[in-house]
Amino acid sequence: MTTGNEILSVHGLARHFTAHVSVVERLFGTKPAVSRAVDGVDLVLRKGETLGLVGESGCGKSTLARTIVGLYQPSAGEIRYDGKALPAKRTRAQQRAIQMVFQDPYSSLNPRMTVEQMLSELLRFHNLVPRNRVHERTRELMHLVGLPERALGQRPRQFSGGQRQRVGIARALALEPSVLLADEPVSALDVSVQATIINLLAELKETLNLSMIFVSHNMAVVRQVGDRTAVMYSGRIVETGNTDTLFDDPVHPYTRLLIGSVPRLVTVEGPARASEGASEDRAAVRAEVARAVARDGTQACRFADRCPSVVAGCAVEPALLADPGDPNRWAACVHVAHRSEGAIR
Amino acid sequence: MTPPLLEVRDLHVDIPMPYGRLHAVRGVSLSVDIAESVGLVGESGSGKSLTLRALLGLLPRPARIVSGTILIDGEDVTGLSAKQLKRRLTDTMSMIFQDSLTALNPVMRVGDQIAEVPLRKLGKSRSEAKAIAVGLMREVGIADPERRYQLYPHELSGGMRQRICIAIALSTKPRLILADEPTTALDVTIQAQVLGVLRQLKQEEQVGLLLVSHDLAVVSQTCSRLYVMYAGKVVESGDLVDLVTAPRHPYTFSLLRSVPDPDKRVARLLTIDGRPPDLTDPVTGCSFAPRCPFAEDACREAEPELAPAGSARLSACRRVDTAQRWTAMVEQEVSQEAVSRQ
Ligand SMILES: Nc1ncnc2c1ncn2[C@@H]1O[C@H](COP(=O)(O)OP(=O)(O)OP(=O)(O)O)[C@@H](O)[C@H]1O
Ligand SMILES: Nc1ncnc2c1ncn2[C@@H]1O[C@H](COP(=O)(O)OP(=O)(O)OP(=O)(O)O)[C@@H](O)[C@H]1O
Ligand code: SF4
Ligand SMILES: [Mg+2]
Ligand SMILES: [Mg+2]
């Protein structure tokens, strides 16, 4: 999955969490449960592109994003930025280069600081502009994200949700990053406000030449913003491809289910479309997969217990492979290798 | 003609605030027929949740009903004593919320939570109540209900938890479910399942639905009639398909144009500039006028009332007669802007 113009890439990246186990439980020999939130992710971000990252709640999207910006240490694997592996302790320049915009702008901003205080502190700490230009720069940042200059004197709670998200974007942009990770930046917003923030991010990406990972569980939003899209399921990437091809012709059964389930505006009266209907009659195959896993100790495909296309071969987790029909597309499903024969059903 | 199962007339809800009185719901009227699914959509903060909560006497403090009439099967129940009213309302309706994790008791088995009403309110024995709960779990599509009965909320996925909430709502045998953003926290594959359960309840058990959401697509898959709220009022209502194909209020029109399409990428999403009015101040003129692409001077003078706008259709826009030309009008403006930018 290498191309010349990548700015950021992750290889076999994992981040596991260990649940807290009380002393008593430890006495009885309870092993702490490990949550494998991110479990072997390979991903490439190219210069100047927006990569949409979608997947169901709890699949590990936020954990992946937080690990990439350095808020979590990876449990395994590596993150490469601008051709070099990032060390456990990043330099200030490396920290600045990758910034994040959070879902809930309220909890990610300090409620006691005015926007001006918050931005100038950042600018000074990172020595981004000469001291006497700090105020000017904070004003520029307001213009950049479409807020009036008087917003500088306000505190987070004095803004609407959409304005607060603009403040969050200004905070990230103050550090002049080259990669922006936006984690559900519009999920908490009303549809019309959502549209203004999406447009703003698209403009900023052009004018500032940013590369962006846009995390969302809203498929329609990702369709609008992503040049490419990656689909995550249970800690792994299961499919990536150009957004339009991935949406119009999904390869992985999970992507198919996801795209098929997106609610669409019903403009003619009629029966609603069926979803996840065919999966019940696969019970025998699923049992066979479970037996094989128990016998051979393999890790099955993580989607096997919901997959409508499950076959016996799914007892071994498939690798992310290039689609023979489209080298830009990768998918992790036993059926992919046979796709040229039209075998996915 | 059979009267509607539920009818609300001219509901007003106020919230006293440090800086004044927030007139959050300003005269909402709506009705739901027996076994009908009705949607309530609108801008964030337009009063959807408060309307729903007012119907069940579940308003958060310090919000209160100022005036309004509630009719059940055509009978005005507003005059009943507080206790009788509550009883009448909860016998007829129950509610499900957005966040299933906080709605459930974390230290009680989910099955016991469903069995609680049959056990305590309907006077069933322990084993009967348990059988009812298992039956309800099966009804909302939970496989292996006997085993899952024993689990705690955190041991279930979001979709399963929301089904448990639906099962609890059904345990009172309601004729109408009030659902406030029931699938917003779920991913689309699970959302589709939960909406399927609600549709099935309507078809098989004749349970009506009043569904609040800001997602028109979700509502369109579940409901046959729609109310659109803006700034504390219903600004448009009618048959759902009619309404989304030919909106008769500029807010609905603009909303439909800013919804991202999952099947097609557009160069730039359309937005509704500006903000809804602050309802602690009195509203003069149409509440949408400051953001409306079609507003004329008269719109800013008096607030338009809901008026008939086609068959079974109401709209509170005084320029509704120009609706056929709205698309052309905004598109002309967009292209003029593009020219002036060059
Ligand atoms: N700090 C943490 N400690 C323990 N477990 C965690 C932690 N953060 C995340 N997890 C677990 O890791 C998994 C992935 O969580 P994550 O927040 O990355 O998912 P997500 O894809 O962002 O979901 P959502 O769409 O709901 O935001 C979940 O099972 C979650 O419970
Ligand atoms: N407990 C409360 N205290 C103060 N104000 C409240 C309270 N509950 C609601 N409000 C205000 O009343 C108005 C209507 O709120 P409501 O929750 O009904 O909106 P909504 O249409 O459900 O919006 P959303 O789509 O964001 O859920 C809003 O301006 C809100 O800020
Ligand atoms: S009444 Fe006027 S301002 Fe209000 S929605 Fe209609 S055209 Fe727009
Ligand atoms: Mg997340
Ligand atoms: Mg609400």
Side-chain angles (χ1 to χ4, degrees):
Chain A
M1 246 205 295
T2 43
T3 44
N5 58 351
E6 64 189 56
I7 183 151
L8 181 93
S9 59
V10 305
H11 305 270
L13 192 70
R15 168 68 207 194
H16 298 170
F17 295 102
T18 312
H20 177 76
V21 176
S22 72
V23 180
V24 179
E25 285 170 318
R26 221 171 289 160
L27 283 176
F28 285 101
T30 307
K31 290 236 174 62
V34 176
S35 154
R36 292 147 60 133
V38 172
D39 202 25
V41 163
D42 296 310
L43 205 59
V44 167
L45 180 66
R46 299 177 190 152
K47 273 200 181 98
E49 80 168 346
T50 298
L51 175 69
L53 180 64
V54 297
E56 65 184 350
S57 177
C59 73
K61 304 180 296 295
S62 295
T63 307
L64 175 60
R66 287 167 165 266
T67 312
I68 293 175
V69 287
L71 291 170
Y72 293 147
Q73 284 297 325
S75 309
E78 81 177 358
I79 305 167
R80 300 179 71 83
Y81 170 73
D82 215 7
K84 285 186 282 294
L86 289 173
K89 179 127 184 34
R90 298 184 187 179
T91 64
R92 252 189 216 187
Q94 285 169 336
Q95 279 174 28
R96 265 180 38 207
I98 308 173
Q99 284 300 313
M100 185 144 165
V101 177
F102 297 87
Q103 165 167 5
D104 177 3
Y106 201 68
S107 59
S108 57
L109 299 171
N110 183 338
R112 277 183 296 275
M113 277 195 197
T114 64
V115 174
E116 165 116 55
Q117 287 166 338
M118 175 188 77
L119 292 176
S120 2
E121 190 179 282
L122 275 177
L123 293 170
R124 292 207 186 92
F125 181 79
H126 285 275
N127 271 322
L128 283 161
V129 287
R131 301 258 144 173
N132 58 3
R133 274 212 57 223
V134 167
H135 180 65
E136 196 182 325
R137 178 66 185 149
T138 59
R139 284 183 10 221
E140 281 169 19
L141 284 165
M142 290 297 100
H143 289 297
L144 204 54
V145 298
L147 284 173
E149 277 176 29
R150 66 183 151 74
L152 284 170
Q154 292 175 222
R155 288 169 225 278
R157 85 182 137 72
Q158 294 165 307
F159 292 103
S160 71
Q163 291 173 323
R164 230 178 267 145
Q165 196 54 285
R166 289 175 194 263
V167 174
I169 294 170
R171 192 198 55 91
L173 293 181
L175 301 182
E176 298 167 27
S178 35
V179 174
L180 199 61
L181 280 150
D183 188 8
E184 309 261 11
V186 296
S187 304
L189 305 175
D190 208 322
V191 198
S192 61
V193 186
Q194 170 181 300
T196 62
I197 298 292
I198 291 173
N199 289 341
L200 171 67
L201 285 171
E203 267 161 35
L204 291 171
K205 183 194 127 189
E206 293 299 320
T207 49
L208 304 178
N209 195 20
L210 292 169
S211 312
M212 185 152 71
I213 297 183
F214 190 104
V215 178
S216 180
H217 64 259
N218 186 330
M219 301 296 286
V221 165
V222 167
R223 173 107 211 205
Q224 303 307 319
V225 301
D227 299 312
R228 286 190 308 130
T229 296
V231 181
M232 195 165 177
Y233 187 80
S234 185
R236 287 234 170 169
I237 303 297
V238 295
E239 178 164 0
T240 68
N242 291 330
T243 299
D244 286 342
T245 8
L246 187 133
F247 273 76
D248 292 338
D249 177 27
V251 169
H252 194 282
Y254 174 64
T255 317
R256 293 177 169 215
L257 182 62
L258 201 60
I259 288 168
S261 315
V262 175
R264 276 131 176 125
L265 203 58
V266 178
T267 44
V268 282
E269 218 145 352
R273 58 172 78 205
S275 65
E276 210 162 0
S279 66
E280 286 314 312
D281 47 282
R282 294 274 173 156
V285 186
R286 268 185 251 285
E288 194 183 331
V289 168
R291 276 195 302 277
V293 166
R295 186 183 61 228
D296 309 332
T298 50
Q299 153 89 58
C301 170
R302 291 157 205 239
F303 191 52
D305 54 350
R306 283 176 68 192
C307 183
S309 312
V310 64
V311 292
C314 303
V316 179
E317 180 162 40
L320 195 58
L321 294 177
D323 173 355
D326 172 4
N328 239 324
R329 175 138 57 168
W330 294 68
C333 169
V334 278
H335 298 292
V336 174
H338 309 295
R339 189 164 127 85
S340 45
E341 299 148 33
I344 298 192
R345 269 289 132 252
Chain B
M1 218 177 84
T2 348
L5 170 58
L6 170 76
E7 191 180 348
V8 190
R9 292 190 193 148
D10 205 22
L11 177 74
H12 287 260
V13 176
D14 261 8
I15 310 176
M17 299 289 238
Y19 46 86
R21 199 177 58 104
L22 177 70
H23 197 171
V25 177
R26 304 186 298 133
V28 164
S29 300
L30 54 81
S31 70
V32 186
D33 283 334
I34 293 165
E36 191 189 21
S37 296
V38 174
L40 183 59
V41 300
E43 184 97 346
S44 177
S46 59
K48 305 181 294 292
S49 297
L50 289 179
T51 300
L52 218 59
R53 285 166 165 276
L55 290 177
L56 264 180
L58 291 176
L59 281 178
R61 270 169 196 288
R64 62 187 181 104
I65 299 183
V66 180
S67 61
T69 314
I70 300 175
L71 297 98
I72 291 173
D73 295 318
E75 182 198 340
D76 182 353
V77 296
T78 347
L80 297 176
S81 74
K83 205 170 148 202
Q84 279 177 313
L85 172 65
K86 182 97 192 172
R87 174 98 195 247
R88 192 69 199 274
L89 295 176
T90 50
D91 279 355
T92 315
M93 307 176 267
S94 41
M95 186 149 173
I96 42 181
F97 300 92
Q98 170 174 352
D99 187 355
S100 57
L101 199 55
T102 53
L104 293 170
N105 181 343
V107 296
M108 190 173 174
R109 294 180 200 282
V110 291
D112 289 337
Q113 301 191 42
I114 304 169
E116 195 159 63
V117 170
L119 188 66
R120 299 203 193 291
K121 299 246 170 71
L122 308 179
K124 304 284 179 192
S125 73
R126 204 160 275 280
S127 60
E128 280 169 340
K130 179 164 180 182
I132 291 173
V134 169
L136 286 169
M137 289 171 78
R138 195 166 286 128
E139 194 174 321
V140 297
I142 297 180
D144 198 2
E146 282 88 359
R147 184 179 65 81
R148 293 216 161 96
Y149 185 102
Q150 306 294 339
L151 300 179
Y152 291 94
H154 71 268
E155 295 173 303
L156 292 170
S157 68
M160 283 287 168
R161 282 200 299 264
Q162 198 54 287
R163 288 170 196 230
I164 298 289
C165 291
I166 299 176
I168 293 174
L170 288 176
S171 69
T172 59
K173 294 198 165 294
R175 297 160 66 206
L176 176 64
I177 288 188
L178 311 180
D180 194 354
E181 308 270 8
T183 59
T184 309
L186 306 174
D187 89 277
V188 289
T189 64
I190 312 297
Q191 166 170 282
Q193 295 169 11
V194 171
L195 295 178
V197 170
L198 292 173
R199 269 197 300 269
Q200 198 182 347
L201 279 171
K202 179 194 135 166
Q203 273 151 17
E204 289 168 14
E205 315 274 328
Q206 304 280 297
V207 180
L209 177 69
L210 180 55
L211 175 66
V212 164
S213 177
H214 60 256
D215 189 336
L216 269 162
V218 163
V219 170
S220 79
Q221 298 210 330
T222 327
C223 301
S224 51
R225 219 151 49 74
L226 188 62
Y227 292 90
V228 181
M229 282 186 75
Y230 188 81
K233 282 202 168 182
V234 171
V235 293
E236 176 165 18
S237 69
D239 170 82
L240 188 135
V241 174
D242 277 2
L243 203 147
V244 299
T245 41
R248 289 281 179 268
H249 191 280
Y251 170 67
T252 322
F253 173 84
S254 311
L255 177 66
L256 281 161
R257 291 174 62 97
S258 58
V259 176
D261 182 349
D263 297 319
K264 195 173 86 226
R265 183 168 183 164
V266 297
R268 198 183 153 79
L269 290 169
L270 293 155
T271 58
I272 314 178
D273 294 335
R275 277 216 262 170
D278 180 348
L279 294 178
T280 41
D281 301 327
V283 176
T284 46
C286 172
S287 58
F288 192 59
R291 306 172 75 185
C292 180
F294 318 116
E296 49 187 19
D297 287 346
C299 297
R300 294 180 194 91
E301 278 153 26
E303 187 165 23
E305 293 292 324
L306 270 182
S311 89
R313 206 49 183 288
L314 296 174
S315 162
C317 171
R318 55 185 314 285
R319 300 208 63 197
V320 62
D321 55 314
T322 61
Q324 266 92 359
R325 289 188 280 123
W326 287 348
T327 306
M329 283 158 83
V330 289
E331 251 137 48
Q332 195 182 357
E333 204 164 302
V334 168
S335 58
Q336 272 168 3
E337 240 175 69
V339 171
S340 68
R341 233 185 272 147
Q342 278 163 8

